[in-house]
């Protein structure tokens, strides 16, 4: 009763817009869809678009500055394609981005701690590349440790494996004494 059309037309229209927004979000978020739920989404999408036009028109003529007029954020934009996407891919729980949001944490930390906030994309990609390289090396080191540990736990006749060769020319093992080229030629010549 507080936000009625006579006392607060912009509040009343915003309330209708939010109601339609929540209705659409509920319909689209269902785990199972039928022809009737898809039709309900289409019908509510029309209601939402009309409510949005009414609200924007009212808010543009209202003297209060700062009322949100741009409702074209990603979720609302994706609703335009919702029924087609649901028909092609299934319920939206099958293609949600929510599980991947926590993967942004390390990148956010890289932005805060390791960038000068200029040319951010390249700096964050460099940090991400270094992090990936460290994880790959750590995985190889763990695998080498495991391979070296296996023979001592079991059979005495099993040979200790040579250092594990990685792709390329890198080997993990004891450093060798420097030798002159002439020495290599004499020994292997």
């Amino acid at each position: 009763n507080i936000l009625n059309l006579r006392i607060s037309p912009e509040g009343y229209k915003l309330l209708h817009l939010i109601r339609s927004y929540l209705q659409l979000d509920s319909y689209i978020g269902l785990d199972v869809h039928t022809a009737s739920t898809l039709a309900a989404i289409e019908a509510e999408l029309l209601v939402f678009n009309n409510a949005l036009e009414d609200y924007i028109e009212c808010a543009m003529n209202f003297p209060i500055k700062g009322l949100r007029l741009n409702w074209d954020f990603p979720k609302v934009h994706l609703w335009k394609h919702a029924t087609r996407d649901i028909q092609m891919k299934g319920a939206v729980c099958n293609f949600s981005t929510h599980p991947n949001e926590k993967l942004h944490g390390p990148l956010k930390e890289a932005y805060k701690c390791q960038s000068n906030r200029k040319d951010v994309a390249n700096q964050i990609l460099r940090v991400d590349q270094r992090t990936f390289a460290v994880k790959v090396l750590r995985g190889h080191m763990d695998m080498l440790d495991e391979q070296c540990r296996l023979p001592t736990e079991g059979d005495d006749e099993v040979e200790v494996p040579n250092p594990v060769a990685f792709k390329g020319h890198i080997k993990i093992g004891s450093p060798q004494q420097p030798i002159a080229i002439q020495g290599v030629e004499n020994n292997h010549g």
Side-chain angles (χ1 to χ4, degrees), residues 1-183:
N1 294 339
I2 296 172
L3 293 176
N4 62 40
L5 188 56
R6 187 177 51 78
I7 295 175
S8 178
E10 71 289 338
Y12 180 78
K13 291 180 188 249
L14 179 61
L15 191 61
H16 277 276
L17 181 62
I18 292 171
R19 181 206 158 279
S20 182
Y21 175 92
L22 293 173
Q23 191 72 26
L24 260 175
D25 196 44
S26 297
Y27 275 133
I28 292 171
L30 292 173
D31 291 335
V32 177
H33 288 280
T34 63
S36 62
T37 59
L38 293 175
I41 290 171
E42 287 292 327
E44 192 61 40
L45 194 54
L46 291 173
V47 170
F48 177 79
N49 287 332
N50 290 336
L52 180 58
E53 287 175 13
D54 289 346
Y55 168 73
I56 290 173
E57 183 181 320
C58 182
M60 286 177 64
N61 298 323
F62 197 72
I64 295 178
K65 301 287 184 215
L67 292 178
R68 182 175 182 100
L69 299 176
N70 182 6
W71 280 64
D72 194 23
F73 47 93
K75 189 171 190 176
V76 171
H77 175 77
L78 290 175
W79 284 350
K80 296 174 185 174
H81 313 288
T83 54
R84 180 182 53 95
D85 288 345
I86 290 168
Q87 289 169 339
M88 292 174 64
K89 301 172 192 169
V92 294
C93 62
N94 296 333
F95 53 97
S96 172
T97 61
H98 184 70
N100 296 324
E101 291 299 321
K102 65 181 113 185
L103 297 176
H104 295 299
L107 296 179
K108 189 189 303 183
E109 284 299 312
Y111 174 77
K112 287 184 347 189
C113 302
Q114 299 179 30
S115 80
N116 61 3
R117 295 178 178 59
K118 297 175 184 162
D119 192 27
V120 175
N122 287 333
Q123 292 179 46
I124 288 178
L125 287 173
R126 207 172 306 122
V127 168
D128 195 39
Q129 182 181 19
R130 290 177 187 149
T131 303
F132 179 71
V134 167
K135 287 179 180 179
V136 168
L137 288 174
R138 178 78 259 167
H140 285 299
M141 295 295 291
D142 291 344
M143 183 176 65
L144 177 63
D145 287 346
E146 185 64 28
Q147 286 178 351
C148 290
R149 196 175 13 258
L150 285 176
T152 59
E153 292 175 359
D155 216 357
D156 290 336
E157 296 177 15
V158 177
E159 289 184 29
V160 175
N162 289 333
V164 176
F166 293 109
K167 293 180 181 175
H169 301 288
I170 301 171
K171 290 187 183 255
I172 295 181
S174 301
Q176 297 180 0
Q177 294 295 324
I179 187 170
I181 294 177
Q182 188 177 11

